[in-house]
């Protein structure tokens, strides 16, 4: 099977995955105890107003009918109205999604760069003090949740040693550039505003690092184990016998095949950063979609909950397709069982 045929098949399967996800989330959001109409209007609202809102949201109809109304709206680009913000959910997603995407993208860069760096260093200097230090850091990084790291960062850099901003997306008095992509760092570069870019990057650093620490060290351990296992392979012995320099063997012949198991896990971790970001966003006062989704769940904002989960599912599916392509590039023998 050729690569474009594989991509087409994966995209078609992804549609079924997203439809299944929408059904599950739709049902769960509605069977959870609590009346969304009452929660939206408050405990003192008259009953006739609650009944009117329930009718407007089609909550008085069977579950299947409610889903048909919702999926019809989604197909036409109407995600419904948020009970919390009183705006269209699509408008809310357009406002909050770029902030989380910016955070996740920098976290993903941290994960890719530092996991490969630490994993390769640990393998290169295995059973030395360098390896021991990295392994201790790895055990600690994997064991400590990202929100605990976020709290520590806020305490240290927000109060004890305020050398880098710990809260918000921009500093006081700093005006964001004109919205082009919604990503402040990208928009500031496109408009040539380096002052805003530097301020936004400083505000991004701590929350992105807090979100990335766990995946960094998990992937570093996988890379170290894979590189250590591959060091005794015959092709590397032959490469050394031919007199190929050690740094070329390390980078070209050892690291590349050793990345294959790490890339698969790395893709899942990077895709999961969207969902894992909600507590980090709350702690750092970051106006992202993960924080918005959590508030929607607490207030049972049905349209917002379903839409946010679908957005997360879509990103997760796309990242996994990209990971499969990267793995196939790293090792052409891996064509999903020879089917590509």
């Amino acid at each position: 099977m050729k690569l474009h045929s594989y991509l087409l098949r994966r995209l078609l399967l992804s549609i079924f995955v997203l439809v299944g996800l929408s059904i599950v989330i739709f049902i769960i959001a509605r069977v959870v105890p609590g009346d969304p109409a009452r929660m939206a209007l408050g405990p003192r609202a008259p009953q006739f107003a609650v009944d009117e809102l329930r009718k407007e949201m089609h909550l008085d109809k069977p579950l299947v009918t409610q889903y048909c109304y919702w999926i019809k709206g989604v197909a036409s680009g109407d995600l419904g109205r948020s009970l919390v913000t009183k705006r269209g959910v699509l408008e809310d997603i357009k406002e909050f999604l770029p902030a989380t995407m910016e955070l996740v993208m920098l976290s993903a860069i941290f994960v890719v760069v530092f996991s490969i760096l630490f994993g390769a260093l640990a393998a290169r200097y295995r059973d030395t003090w360098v390896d021991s230090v990295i392994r201790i850091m790895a055990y600690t990084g994997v064991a400590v949740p990202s929100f605990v790291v976020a709290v520590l960062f806020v305490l240290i850099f927000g109060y004890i040693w305020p050398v880098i901003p710990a809260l918000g997306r921009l500093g006081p008095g700093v005006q964001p550039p004109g919205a082009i992509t919604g990503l402040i760092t990208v928009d500031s570069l496109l408009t040539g505003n380096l002052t805003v870019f530097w301020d936004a990057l400083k505000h991004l650093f701590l929350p992105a690092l807090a979100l990335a620490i766990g995946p960094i060290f998990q992937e570093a351990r996988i890379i170290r184990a894979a590189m250590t296992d591959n060091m005794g392979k015959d092709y590397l012995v032959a490469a050394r016998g031919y007199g190929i320099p050690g740094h070329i063997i390390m980078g070209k012949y050892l690291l590349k095949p050793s990345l294959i198991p790490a890339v698969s896990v790395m893709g899942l971790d990077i895709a999961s950063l969207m969902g894992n970001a909600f507590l980090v966003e709350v702690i750092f006062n970051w106006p992202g979609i993960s924080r918005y989704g959590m508030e929607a769940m607490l207030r049972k904002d049905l349209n917002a909950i379903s839409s946010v989960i679908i957005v997360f599912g879509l990103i997760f599916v796309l990242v996994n397709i990209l990971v499969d392509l990267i793995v196939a590039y790293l090792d052409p023998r891996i064509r999903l069982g020879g089917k590509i």
Side-chain angles (χ1 to χ4, degrees):
M1 183 183 293
K2 294 182 179 180
L3 189 60
H4 66 272
S5 301
Y6 164 72
L7 278 175
L8 181 61
R9 188 187 67 176
R10 287 300 304 267
L11 289 173
L12 290 175
L13 289 174
S14 299
I15 294 175
F16 290 102
V17 171
L18 292 174
V19 170
L21 177 64
S22 69
I23 293 173
V24 172
I25 295 302
F26 189 89
I27 294 174
I28 291 176
R30 279 156 177 76
V31 300
V32 171
D35 186 351
R38 172 60 68 184
M39 295 175 71
L41 296 177
R44 297 186 178 182
Q47 186 61 40
F48 74 87
V50 176
D51 294 337
E52 187 66 27
L53 182 57
R54 284 179 55 83
K55 185 176 180 180
E56 181 183 335
M57 297 173 63
H58 309 295
L59 295 176
D60 57 333
K61 294 180 171 58
L63 202 59
V64 175
T65 307
Q66 293 181 43
Y67 180 77
C68 291
Y69 275 112
W70 181 77
I71 204 69
K72 181 181 177 181
V74 171
S76 62
D78 180 14
L79 300 180
R81 195 168 189 83
S82 170
L83 300 177
V84 177
T85 64
K86 312 301 181 186
R87 301 188 305 176
V89 174
L90 187 59
E91 295 178 38
D92 290 340
I93 290 176
K94 289 180 179 178
E95 178 180 341
F96 296 117
L97 181 59
T100 298
M101 290 300 298
E102 195 170 33
L103 177 62
V104 168
M105 287 167 61
L106 185 58
S107 296
I109 292 173
F110 285 159
V111 171
V112 173
V113 173
F114 289 109
S115 64
I116 294 175
L117 176 63
F118 290 145
L121 282 175
R124 174 67 179 82
Y125 299 101
R126 58 175 178 170
D127 299 329
T128 66
W129 67 270
V130 176
D131 184 24
S132 299
V133 169
I134 292 176
R135 290 171 70 181
I136 292 172
M137 292 170 59
Y139 293 137
T140 305
V142 172
V144 178
S146 57
F147 68 88
V148 174
V149 178
V151 171
L152 291 175
F153 280 172
V154 170
L155 288 175
I156 294 171
F157 296 104
Y159 299 96
I160 300 173
W161 192 35
V163 294
I164 188 170
L167 296 174
R169 202 175 176 194
L170 284 174
V174 179
Q175 295 297 323
I180 301 174
T181 64
L183 310 176
I184 293 180
T185 51
V186 175
D187 292 346
S188 59
L189 286 177
L190 292 176
T191 56
N193 196 332
L194 296 181
T195 302
V196 175
F197 170 77
W198 179 241
D199 186 78
L201 191 61
K202 289 190 295 183
H203 282 79
L204 260 174
F205 181 78
L206 289 179
L209 185 60
L211 195 59
I213 280 181
I216 284 174
F217 287 112
Q218 175 165 299
E219 271 71 85
R221 293 174 60 192
I222 296 173
I223 292 172
R224 178 198 178 277
M227 291 183 70
T228 302
D229 183 60
N230 288 333
M231 280 180 179
K233 295 294 178 66
D234 293 340
Y235 71 93
L236 289 178
V237 176
R240 295 189 191 98
Y242 281 116
I244 298 176
H247 66 278
I248 296 179
I249 293 176
M250 192 77 177
K252 185 176 181 180
Y253 297 107
L254 178 59
L255 180 60
K256 186 176 177 180
S258 300
L259 286 178
I260 294 170
V263 166
S264 300
V265 180
M266 195 180 295
L268 295 175
D269 282 341
I270 290 175
S272 300
L273 291 176
M274 294 286 293
N276 296 338
F278 67 95
L279 282 177
V280 173
E281 289 186 352
V282 170
I283 293 168
F284 285 100
N285 194 27
W286 194 263
I289 193 173
S290 295
R291 178 179 175 182
Y292 168 76
M294 185 184 70
E295 292 175 353
M297 292 177 188
L298 292 176
R299 302 187 187 189
K300 204 175 181 183
D301 191 346
L302 299 182
N303 291 328
I305 293 172
S306 302
S307 301
V308 168
I309 298 298
I310 290 299
V311 169
F312 286 0
L314 178 62
I315 293 173
F316 200 92
V317 166
L318 293 177
V319 169
N320 276 276
I321 293 175
L322 179 61
V323 166
D324 287 341
L325 296 177
I326 293 174
V327 169
Y329 167 76
L330 289 174
D331 188 349
R333 297 171 302 174
I334 300 180
R335 303 289 186 177
L336 274 74
K339 295 180 181 180
I340 294 181

